[in-house]
Amino acid sequence: MNVLLERLGIRKLLNLGVTEQLGLESSVRVQLSNLIAFLGIFSNVQYSIFFTIAEAPYYQVMNFVHTIVVFVFFMVFYFNLKGRYALSKFILVFIISVPLLCVSTFSFGTSGGFYYYFLVFAIIPFVLFSYDDKWWILFLFLMNTSFYVWFEFFGRPGVFREGTLLYRKDIQDLFRVNSVVSCLSFVALVMFYFLRNINRIQKEMIRINDHKDRIFSILAHDLKGPMGTMSNYLGYLTRSLPEREELVMGLKELKKSINQSYLVLESLLDWVQNETKKTQCNPKNLNFSVLLKSTMDILNIQATNKEILWETKVPNDDSIYCDERMTSTVLRNILSNAIKYSHPKGKVVIEAKHVSSFMEIQVLDQGIGMTSDLLEKIIEGKRFTSEFGTVGEKGTGLGLLVCMELLKEQGGSLRVVSLPDLGTKIFIQLPLKR
């Protein structure tokens, strides 16, 4: 079904005017207005053909009305495309009743059952407008309901010329059946689409709440500890002046806490920016060895404290086509994790080689590794509890998630191979220079 919609261009039509700046609920209402306009165009063209064939009374006038209404429906698409959503919706809810009013007044009367559509159009405002527009919803509901009541109790059957198709009772009944089936189908389609998107909104709300809980958890645990350590030590310094060796040792611990807090905060901000689609990707040709050296310099204290040995096998002159900030964040997260989960005096190996049109970077550690369940959660982007490092370092559980999303933005990829107690090997692919 999705493939068929894509080929017919209907999906693109339904998404006219939908932008990243719109919230999910607003996007759904824009899509619904496009859907109703599309159905309106289809039904007006269809009935123009039917009226002409059946020689309905004043069918020339009705065809003229249908032409104007179809033009206005196209204007609904245009206004949505230009971001004038409110105008688009108000035009739509008023214009859809016009052909029904005309056909039930001048042409068919109550014979074809077209006035049943007024009941359908009475509920359309409830899915197109938000609760803030409740008075418009009430007005449009009462207007369409009044039209229905008028034709149901005060309307008269149409007068059809003898010899035409509509003079036959079975043809009139056929139009009535078509009206009932069309009304039910219209309601079912709109409500199904509405329910489908309500389901999307509910899932998005669950995802947002999960992200909010994760952010609060990180702020409460992963930043509270280092901040408390820094506060306690600075308080100690204000009360007494320690010996030089104690001072140097304390300052090293203080710097370690600051670096840990910085990495946690940076990972959190990168993740939030990517989730809210505010990350800007500006790729250019960059020397990979330079990027790698800058990252290793930042993490050098962390590696030195655990006596981790770096082993690099990276060509000095190879360039990749990437966003510098995003790629630096990816490398920093990957190498920081490699240090964190490596045993003291361990080794982290970094290799780079060409694979097709990509550079593949491999980062291998001989640390504690990961279980298959944890690895599966990371790959699927599910929430999980980050394990402590080999000397008690705490992580956010966001590092690899951020890396996968940032690499995806640049046309790259990430793959993880890991076994408990045997270490982890991470494969990163980024496009080569252009």
Side-chain angles (χ1 to χ4, degrees):
M1 178 60 72
N2 289 333
V3 175
L4 180 62
L5 291 176
E6 291 287 353
R7 289 184 176 179
L8 294 175
I10 295 176
R11 187 179 297 280
K12 186 175 181 180
L13 187 68
L14 294 180
N15 286 307
L16 279 178
V18 176
T19 64
E20 292 183 356
Q21 287 70 35
L22 284 178
L24 184 55
E25 184 179 348
S26 298
S27 298
V28 170
R29 298 190 192 282
V30 173
Q31 290 172 337
L32 280 170
S33 66
N34 287 332
L35 174 62
I36 294 168
F38 172 74
L39 293 174
I41 291 171
F42 177 79
S43 62
N44 275 270
V45 172
Q46 168 192 272
Y47 280 121
S48 288
I49 296 171
F50 287 168
F51 292 170
T52 302
I53 294 173
E55 297 183 70
Y58 305 106
Y59 72 87
Q60 298 92 339
V61 175
M62 285 309 307
N63 287 346
F64 177 72
V65 171
H66 287 150
T67 302
I68 294 175
V69 171
V70 166
F71 173 77
V72 175
F73 281 142
F74 276 111
M75 292 302 296
V76 169
F77 291 135
Y78 174 77
F79 286 133
N80 278 338
L81 188 61
K82 294 298 181 181
R84 303 178 68 178
Y85 307 117
L87 178 60
S88 170
K89 286 189 291 188
F90 281 111
I91 289 176
L92 181 62
V93 293
F94 281 107
I95 198 64
I96 55 177
S97 302
V98 171
L100 296 181
L101 190 60
C102 291
V103 74
S104 298
T105 302
F106 304 119
S107 189
F108 275 76
T110 58
S111 298
F114 291 100
Y115 62 97
Y116 296 152
Y117 278 99
F118 287 120
L119 291 178
V120 177
F121 297 153
I123 66 173
I124 289 299
F126 289 92
V127 297
L128 276 186
F129 292 98
S130 66
Y131 180 76
D132 294 335
D133 299 314
K134 54 184 174 293
W135 296 114
W136 277 113
I137 294 174
L138 180 61
F139 170 75
L140 292 164
F141 172 78
L142 292 175
M143 181 187 77
N144 284 289
T145 304
S146 299
F147 286 152
Y148 170 78
V149 170
W150 172 263
F151 286 107
E152 180 66 48
F153 295 101
F154 304 102
R156 295 181 179 180
V159 178
F160 307 107
R161 183 163 52 86
E162 188 174 355
T164 62
L165 285 174
L166 286 174
Y167 189 76
R168 294 164 50 185
K169 185 67 170 58
D170 59 330
I171 299 298
Q172 295 178 31
D173 291 339
L174 186 61
F175 269 97
R176 184 179 294 274
V177 170
N178 180 70
S179 296
V180 173
V181 173
S182 296
C183 285
L184 292 175
S185 300
F186 189 90
V187 171
L189 183 59
V190 171
M191 296 309 294
F192 180 81
Y193 195 83
F194 185 73
L195 289 174
R196 170 182 173 271
N197 287 286
I198 286 295
N199 185 50
R200 285 174 55 203
I201 292 173
Q202 289 175 338
K203 289 181 178 179
E204 181 69 11
M205 291 297 295
I206 292 171
R207 189 180 71 87
I208 290 172
N209 283 331
D210 183 62
H211 289 177
K212 178 199 67 178
D213 292 342
R214 182 178 287 186
I215 290 171
F216 285 152
S217 175
I218 291 167
L219 293 176
H221 298 96
D222 302 333
L223 285 180
K224 183 179 179 181
M227 291 296 179
T229 301
M230 287 186 280
S231 177
N232 291 336
Y233 186 71
L234 290 173
Y236 169 71
L237 286 180
T238 58
R239 293 191 299 272
S240 62
L241 185 62
E243 296 293 330
R244 173 180 171 77
E245 289 184 2
E246 292 181 354
L247 181 61
V248 170
M249 184 178 299
L251 290 175
K252 285 183 178 180
E253 289 298 316
L254 191 62
K255 183 171 179 59
K256 181 180 176 182
S257 295
I258 291 173
N259 284 342
Q260 184 179 346
S261 300
Y262 175 79
L263 290 172
V264 168
L265 187 59
E266 188 173 56
S267 293
L268 183 61
L269 291 174
D270 280 326
W271 180 66
V272 170
Q273 281 186 327
N274 189 71
E275 287 295 317
T276 54
K277 307 300 180 185
K278 293 183 178 178
T279 305
Q280 297 294 323
C281 183
N282 299 303
K284 57 184 177 181
N285 291 327
L286 296 169
N287 186 285
F288 175 70
S289 63
V290 174
L291 280 179
L292 179 62
K293 185 177 183 305
S294 299
T295 304
M296 292 171 65
D297 288 343
I298 293 173
L299 299 172
N300 194 44
I301 293 178
Q302 184 181 344
T304 302
N305 287 338
K306 292 184 73 171
E307 300 182 68
I308 300 296
L309 175 66
W310 297 110
E311 183 178 317
T312 59
K313 301 175 183 178
V314 177
N316 292 325
D317 55 351
D318 277 4
S319 295
I320 52 177
Y321 186 71
C322 64
D323 179 280
E324 184 173 4
R325 188 190 65 80
M326 287 184 177
T327 306
S328 295
T329 300
V330 170
L331 291 174
R332 189 162 53 250
N333 273 288
I334 298 298
L335 296 183
S336 177
N337 280 346
I339 296 170
K340 185 188 305 177
Y341 297 115
S342 288
H343 298 289
K345 298 184 180 181
K347 181 170 66 173
V348 175
V349 181
I350 307 163
E351 299 182 18
K353 61 181 180 180
H354 292 191
V355 176
S356 186
S357 58
F358 293 88
M359 175 181 283
E360 183 175 86
I361 303 106
Q362 301 177 13
V363 179
L364 170 67
D365 68 64
Q366 299 167 340
I368 61 177
M370 289 182 279
T371 64
S372 58
D373 289 342
L374 178 59
L375 194 56
E376 184 178 350
K377 287 182 179 179
I378 292 172
I379 292 171
E380 293 179 0
K382 294 180 179 178
R383 189 174 182 180
F384 63 93
T385 302
S386 177
E387 300 288 339
F388 285 94
T390 52
V391 293
E393 306 100 316
K394 186 69 175 70
T396 64
L398 296 178
L400 285 178
L401 296 179
V402 171
C403 292
M404 285 189 286
E405 292 299 324
L406 294 182
L407 287 169
K408 185 178 177 182
E409 287 284 329
Q410 303 177 82
S413 63
L414 182 144
R415 182 166 59 92
V416 184
V417 176
S418 185
L419 289 172
D421 301 322
L422 293 178
T424 301
K425 192 170 188 178
I426 295 181
F427 300 83
I428 302 168
Q429 285 195 343
L430 280 165
L432 288 167
K433 69 176 182 179
R434 297 182 179 181

